[in-house]
Amino acid sequence: KTPESTLITQGIGGTIDMRTVKPLAFGKESLSFTLRGEQNDIGALNPDGEDTGVRGSVSYINQFADDTVGIALAYAHMSSPNNEERFNTWGYPDGVVGGFKPFVRSAELTRDTLMGVLEIAPSDDLKINIDALYIDFKDDQVLRGPEIPAAWGDAGITVTDTVDGFARTGTI
């Protein structure tokens, strides 16, 4: 993602030059499988959340017709959980928390990817390459927790002493 002065539209994000495999240049038949599991170390924080996931892929590359036609096919699946505990506060009127919101977030990213490459080289002067990539993903998120008003609600907070704008004593 190194910026290049000839590409004025790439901005801060940069430009990514993604290249798929060239089956004819690969030069041999290949079949590959991967599979691995994952587990979130804090468990599923919501009853409908997950704490385990899986990632797997399969790919195939081959050449045909005296190495003038090549194909590459791949499929990858990912189901990845994410759980986190959060605590938000807002506002400090008279040095007292205006309100707070402790909650947990459970998310699961599911992604399926299909890739296909067709490479045709009928002569040394003509090479045709067709790439296709399809990605489908879904990011489900569940957030649960209370929103609790404090000083900016009817919490019955009375501040009796402050130091440097922060409450030291009071009653709730």
Side-chain angles (χ1 to χ4, degrees), residues 78-127:
M78 177 183 77
S79 178
S80 182
N82 182 299
N83 290 279
E84 58 188 39
E85 299 171 312
R86 294 184 177 178
F87 187 85
N88 295 345
T89 60
W90 62 88
Y92 292 91
D94 299 321
V96 178
V97 173
F100 54 96
K101 184 166 51 172
F103 62 97
V104 294
R105 176 183 162 271
S106 294
E108 184 168 7
L109 176 62
T110 304
R111 182 174 62 217
D112 290 294
T113 304
L114 290 168
M115 188 262 320
V117 177
L118 174 62
E119 187 177 15
I120 303 169
S123 70
D124 290 339
D125 298 326
L126 178 62
K127 291 186 180 178

Side-chain angles (χ1 to χ4, degrees), residues 52-169:
T52 58
V54 65
R55 295 173 187 234
S57 67
V58 60
S59 65
Y60 176 72
I61 302 171
N62 207 351
Q63 305 78 35
F64 306 96
D66 294 325
D67 292 337
T68 60
V69 177
I71 64 164
L73 303 169
Y75 169 73
H77 172 78
M78 177 183 77
S79 178
S80 182
N82 182 299
N83 290 279
E84 58 188 39
E85 299 171 312
R86 294 184 177 178
F87 187 85
N88 295 345
T89 60
W90 62 88
Y92 292 91
D94 299 321
V96 178
V97 173
F100 54 96
K101 184 166 51 172
F103 62 97
V104 294
R105 176 183 162 271
S106 294
E108 184 168 7
L109 176 62
T110 304
R111 182 174 62 217
D112 290 294
T113 304
L114 290 168
M115 188 262 320
V117 177
L118 174 62
E119 187 177 15
I120 303 169
S123 70
D124 290 339
D125 298 326
L126 178 62
K127 291 186 180 178
I128 300 168
N129 196 72
I130 300 170
D131 294 324
L133 179 67
Y134 173 79
I135 301 172
D136 182 36
F137 74 93
K138 182 177 172 185
D139 191 8
D140 286 326
Q141 297 186 27
V142 175
L143 294 114
R144 286 197 175 98
E147 188 164 317
I148 304 165
W152 285 340
D154 189 18
I157 296 176
T158 305
V159 175
T160 57
D161 182 37
T162 62
V163 173
D164 296 325
F166 291 98
R168 283 180 31 140
T169 61

